[in-house]
């Protein structure tokens, strides 16, 4: 929802904008275009080292690289540290476009796409933390089932967890994307109109678990009023109900925010036609009092 993000965020004429999920830089580019000429700063953050490496390459080779953009390898939870590196204390806006980028989905070594086999990793930052296959080996059947239920809202979580643990005991542990997809196919009955792949909810759950996605979102929303300037805006695009619920509750329950979107905004028909992955996107915007 790039057009909507830019419209909502730029309405208050911010100068220091944090794009907490830089990814391919699409939002950041549009925000830079809308800043007054030669003024302002966009600070991009991404946990994926491939993103900061790509931007470093662009900076080194592209003579027209916009000097008003700085990209850090960091979680958006670390925004105050990034601001401090630039001698700033507050930002005028924060944009979060949660989930994964199309580059990450396409890279078979990351394990995000269950249509191509590869190691079951699922980390946004493959240099830190625990890959999903090791996470499964380190947790017992109940913990695995609880995570799949809680973070994937998967009704067949117990069955899947039992199969994961049985496989490790009887043959060898789940190592690859295909190992887990095969288990999900066996344990999850096909959805009525075949619109959801049987592994969708399980992969979502493990991705959330290994990246602590909900914890980071909750902590950042609670902390953001401290470093978003009065009148500044926070726009969050989420892709599933667990994230959206966290955003909705954080905005509603904290007096620091004026909620500008009573209901979440949805992508246009045109955007969904051009980018089917956007169909579950929901955007909420709040303004710092
Ligand atoms: C949907 S993509 C963003 C796409 C971006 N808005 C664009 O226009 O290209 C989400 C990005 O957020 C990153 N990400 C996920 N969790 C993060 C976190 N806690 N902190 C920083 N980046 C994160 C992912 O690595 C991914 O690159």
């Amino acid at each position: 929802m790039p057009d909507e993000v830019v419209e909502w965020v730029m309405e208050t004429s911010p100068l220091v904008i944090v794009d907490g999920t830089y990814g391919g830089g699409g939002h950041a580019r549009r925000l830079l275009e809308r800043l007054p000429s030669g003024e302002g700063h966009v600070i991009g953050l991404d946990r994926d080292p491939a993103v900061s490496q790509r931007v470093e390459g662009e900076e080194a080779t592209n003579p027209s690289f916009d000097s008003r953009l700085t990209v850090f390898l960091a979680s958006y939870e670390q925004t105050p540290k990034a601001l401090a590196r630039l001698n700033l204390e507050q930002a005028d806006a924060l944009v979060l476009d949660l989930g994964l980028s199309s580059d990450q989905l396409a890279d078979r070594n990351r394990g995000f796409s269950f249509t191509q086999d590869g190691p079951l990793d699922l980390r946004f930052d493959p240099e830190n933390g625990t890959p999903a296959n090791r996470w499964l080996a380190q947790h017992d059947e109940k913990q695995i089932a609880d995570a799949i239920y809680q973070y994937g809202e998967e009704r067949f979580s117990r069955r899947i967890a039992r199969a994961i643990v049985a496989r490790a005991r009887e043959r060898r542990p789940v190592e690859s994307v295909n190992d887990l997809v095969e288990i999900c196919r066996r344990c999850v009955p096909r959805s009525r109109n075949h619109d959801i792949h049987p592994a969708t909810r399980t992969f979502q759950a493990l991705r959330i678990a290994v990246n602590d996605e909900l914890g980071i979102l909750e902590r950042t929303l609670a902390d953001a009023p401290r470093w978003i300037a009065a009148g500044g805006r926070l726009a969050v695009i989420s892709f599933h109900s667990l994230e959206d619920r966290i955003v909705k509750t954080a905005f509603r329950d904290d007096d620091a925010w004026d909620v500008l979107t009573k209901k979440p905004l949805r992508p246009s028909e045109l955007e969904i036609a051009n980018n089917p992955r956007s169909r579950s996107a929901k955007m909420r915007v709040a303004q710092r009092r």
Side-chain angles (χ1 to χ4, degrees):
M1 306 175 72
D3 292 338
E4 291 85 345
V5 170
V6 172
E7 289 315 317
W8 280 89
V9 166
M10 296 313 291
E11 214 172 53
T12 55
S13 308
L15 284 177
V16 176
I17 306 173
V18 178
D19 178 351
T21 50
Y22 183 83
H27 287 164
R29 257 188 307 280
R30 284 165 183 251
L31 292 163
L32 282 165
E33 278 165 18
R34 293 283 296 269
L35 282 172
S37 163
E39 280 187 63
H41 208 122
V42 173
I43 301 160
L45 305 177
D46 204 293
R47 270 174 108 177
D48 187 341
V51 169
S52 43
Q53 276 158 21
R54 195 192 64 234
V55 176
E56 274 165 31
E58 287 166 8
E59 204 169 354
T61 55
N62 177 1
S64 53
F65 187 88
D66 196 326
S67 59
R68 298 171 303 167
L69 172 67
T70 308
V71 176
F72 292 108
L73 168 61
S75 167
Y76 59 76
E77 193 178 2
Q78 307 296 328
T79 302
K81 271 195 198 156
L83 290 169
R85 293 260 302 266
L86 299 169
N87 291 322
L88 296 165
E89 281 180 9
Q90 291 202 307
D92 301 316
L94 169 66
V95 174
L96 297 177
D97 179 13
L98 303 170
L100 56 144
S101 67
S102 32
D103 285 350
Q104 289 165 334
L105 191 64
D107 183 347
R108 63 167 60 230
N109 291 315
R110 311 293 292 270
F112 289 116
S113 166
F114 37 72
T115 56
Q116 27 180 14
D117 197 17
L120 184 70
D121 190 317
L122 299 177
R123 285 171 299 174
F124 287 125
D125 174 0
E127 292 169 11
N128 286 292
T130 309
N133 46 18
R134 193 138 44 86
W135 188 96
L136 288 174
Q138 289 171 350
H139 289 79
D140 65 23
E141 184 179 322
K142 179 170 184 312
Q143 291 168 322
I144 295 170
D146 287 349
I148 296 175
Y149 184 71
Q150 200 185 337
Y151 300 145
E153 300 182 308
E154 170 59 70
R155 283 199 295 137
F156 301 96
S157 55
R158 309 231 160 270
R159 226 191 255 181
I160 296 166
R162 204 175 313 131
I164 290 170
V165 172
R167 183 196 153 101
R169 198 174 48 231
E170 291 157 19
R171 285 193 283 159
R172 50 182 189 84
V174 167
E175 282 291 340
S176 70
V177 168
N178 276 359
D179 293 343
L180 185 59
V181 167
E182 186 247 330
I183 287 176
C184 294
R185 278 195 202 285
R186 270 194 287 121
C187 297
V188 179
R190 287 216 130 204
S191 63
R192 207 173 303 142
N193 40 10
H194 295 202
D195 56 345
I196 292 193
H197 189 287
T200 303
R201 295 176 197 280
T202 303
F203 272 68
Q204 172 186 305
L206 291 181
R207 205 194 76 201
I208 289 175
V210 300
N211 293 296
D212 186 22
E213 288 179 53
L214 303 183
I216 289 176
L217 180 61
E218 262 169 353
R219 291 192 295 273
T220 304
L221 294 180
D223 190 41
R226 209 169 50 80
W227 48 264
I228 293 187
R233 288 191 177 173
L234 164 53
V236 188
I237 302 176
S238 61
F239 286 88
H240 52 76
S241 54
L242 298 168
E243 285 171 345
D244 183 55
R245 210 173 302 148
I246 290 173
V247 180
K248 181 179 162 183
T249 313
F251 283 180
R252 190 194 57 202
D253 294 351
D254 191 334
D255 289 343
W257 302 117
D258 274 327
V259 184
L260 304 181
T261 47
K262 296 293 171 224
K263 280 195 178 158
L265 306 169
R266 307 300 305 262
S268 64
E269 297 281 325
L270 183 66
E271 181 171 356
I272 296 174
N274 288 333
N275 174 17
R277 282 182 62 217
S278 71
R279 71 182 175 280
S280 43
K282 288 183 180 168
M283 179 166 104
R284 294 186 187 266
V285 187
Q287 181 159 323
R288 178 78 177 89
R289 286 209 168 123

